[in-house]
Amino acid sequence: MKSPRLEITRPDDWHLHLRDGDALASVIGHTAQRFARAIVMPNLKPPVTTVAQAEDYRRRIMASLPAGSPFQPLMTLYLTESTAVEEIARAKASDGVFAVKYYPAGATTHSDSGVRELSRVYRVLEAMEKHDLPLLLHGEVTDPDIDIFDREQVFIERHLVPLQARFPALRMVLEHITTRDAVDFVSGAPANVAATITVHHLLLNRNALFAGGIRPHNYCAPILKREAHRAALLQAATSGDPHFFLGTDSAPHPREAKETACGCAGLYTAHAALELYAEAFEQAGRLDRLEAFASFHGPDFYRLPRNTDRIALERTPWNVPEEYPLAGSTCQPMRAGESVAWSLVETAAS
Ligand code: DOR
Ligand code: ZN
């Protein structure tokens, strides 16, 4: 019997870490095989804070793509307390920069140049509202007295609600949401507020951090939450609500940076991203809604054309390798050594 097949408009990844140099060359192929475009995070070391740096980074990404790949990186700027207001007009006028990313200082990988006090960037946010440049939020507080599992919920109450009241026309994406609180906030918000959802937050809850022992490869920021939150995310992603769209937050780290006394945050999912999203949607009995979440809601929010070519998956399981090369080291991907239910159908175009 032939395996069930699913054909959809080619998707985009609205939140991705591509790194730089040899690591970039190691990982880009996985994304380019599946996605037409990706919003590329600026948390390099040093961070990408100017349009000139974003354009250079874009050229390095283009140079590392497999020959003939039509993949397009959509660049972002890293917001700091010294970002110049003029940089926003420059970003808007450029054809490469599509958003500005807010990291609270200390929240995650390479976030030490992030913002300590939101009021110090109000003038930049005003310029973004005026020029209609989206703000992408790593929505967590970093105060040491806040429980790590509450960081997102407290960010919404303390910062996001006031931010939205102060800048009502600013387009904002609450990135990689992990809680029912975020789902409730975003689904009740106007159309200029949206959220991305990763596939690891759709498929895993916090038990995956401690299954039989500590699991550093399942550690990410924001951290995995309890099952009720995962269920709320799955409901939101599969609801058809255009506030929610695909953003993998695939974030490769070399094995030795994960398997250590103080390991880095990030799951690598680019190798099987669309296939894993298909598993999540199938689990919810809503494969019919994968296309809107993966391929329509994102470009509509960013006011970019939807893709016109298509991609096919079939329900044939395959085994994920134990590791992939990453620069001079290796990276352990999600599902390493285990099976994924859906596979990509290779076509001439992909
Ligand atoms: O888990 C994460 N990894 N979350 C982030 O916000 C950053 C990312 C990374 O760059 O490794
Ligand atoms: Zn990220």
Side-chain angles (χ1 to χ4, degrees):
M1 208 179 79
K2 272 193 82 185
S3 311
R5 200 182 143 99
L6 177 67
E7 197 186 299
I8 62 170
T9 302
R10 184 175 294 278
D12 305 298
D13 184 349
W14 299 97
H15 183 128
L16 176 67
H17 297 270
L18 280 177
R19 312 304 192 207
D20 207 350
D22 292 343
L24 163 64
S26 304
V27 300
I28 181 114
H30 285 150
T31 294
Q33 217 184 343
R34 291 161 179 80
F35 298 99
R37 299 167 288 198
I39 283 277
V40 179
M41 288 298 120
N43 63 331
L44 303 182
K45 209 147 182 92
V48 178
T49 55
T50 64
V51 174
Q53 288 168 340
E55 283 170 351
D56 281 349
Y57 184 27
R58 184 174 194 281
R59 277 189 280 276
R60 297 196 295 278
I61 296 170
M62 296 305 287
S64 67
L65 277 170
S69 169
F71 176 76
Q72 286 177 45
L74 311 176
M75 309 310 291
T76 60
L77 300 186
Y78 188 120
L79 180 64
T80 75
E81 291 182 3
S82 18
T83 298
V85 171
E86 304 74 56
E87 205 61 33
I88 300 306
R90 265 196 288 279
K92 187 67 189 183
S94 78
D95 21 276
V97 176
F98 290 82
V100 175
K101 178 69 189 276
Y102 161 86
Y103 285 105
T108 185
T109 309
H110 301 166
S111 63
D112 20 302
S113 315
V115 175
R116 274 159 225 282
E117 174 57 58
L118 259 170
S119 62
R120 298 198 191 121
V121 295
Y122 279 171
R123 289 189 54 238
V124 176
L125 300 185
E126 255 163 47
M128 289 172 60
E129 187 178 39
K130 183 175 122 205
H131 289 286
D132 197 22
L133 195 63
L135 174 67
L136 314 183
L137 295 156
H138 184 111
E140 290 194 287
V141 294
T142 53
D143 317 41
D145 56 321
I146 302 296
D147 189 284
I148 185 170
F149 292 97
D150 297 335
R151 284 172 155 202
E152 183 172 279
Q153 181 202 337
V154 174
F155 177 85
I156 295 171
E157 288 159 20
R158 279 194 196 164
H159 301 301
L160 190 51
V161 170
L163 210 55
Q164 209 209 341
R166 189 173 192 107
F167 303 103
L170 181 61
R171 273 192 291 154
M172 296 195 279
V173 184
L174 189 55
E175 299 285 355
H176 43 54
I177 59 169
T178 59
T179 58
R180 181 197 298 280
D181 312 80
V183 166
D184 290 347
F185 176 83
V186 172
S187 58
N192 61 313
V193 177
T196 53
I197 307 182
T198 77
V199 78
H200 46 284
H201 290 105
L202 288 179
L203 288 171
L204 304 175
N205 66 30
R206 66 191 195 177
N207 286 351
L209 287 164
F210 306 108
I214 193 153
R215 300 286 185 159
H217 295 282
N218 288 337
Y219 172 60
C220 59
I223 197 158
L224 296 171
K225 303 297 191 301
R226 62 168 66 242
E227 173 60 15
H229 292 297
R230 186 197 72 87
L233 297 175
L234 188 60
Q235 210 287 323
T238 60
S239 66
D241 182 341
H243 284 101
F244 301 102
F245 44 84
L246 185 158
T248 63
D249 199 14
S250 179
H253 288 280
R255 182 178 292 283
E256 63 279 8
K258 298 282 290 176
E259 297 175 7
T260 174
C262 185
C264 293
L267 270 80
Y268 185 66
T269 56
H271 65 296
L274 188 61
E275 301 90 316
L276 289 166
Y277 277 106
E279 272 191 20
F281 275 65
E282 185 177 39
Q283 198 184 93
R286 294 270 33 156
L287 270 174
D288 58 318
R289 295 209 173 132
L290 179 62
E291 183 176 42
F293 174 80
S295 315
F296 297 162
H297 299 165
D300 295 355
F301 178 87
Y302 277 89
R303 306 200 184 124
L304 291 168
R306 294 177 179 181
N307 297 317
T308 49
D309 65 326
R310 297 179 72 74
I311 188 168
L313 297 176
E314 77 186 8
R315 211 178 182 301
T316 308
W318 59 286
N319 283 324
V320 174
E322 292 289 348
E323 56 190 26
Y324 288 107
L326 181 65
S329 181
T330 60
C331 168
Q332 180 170 318
M334 187 171 170
R335 287 280 170 88
E338 294 170 25
S339 99
V340 171
W342 290 83
S343 27
L344 273 193
V345 180
E346 302 293 338
T347 59
S350 63

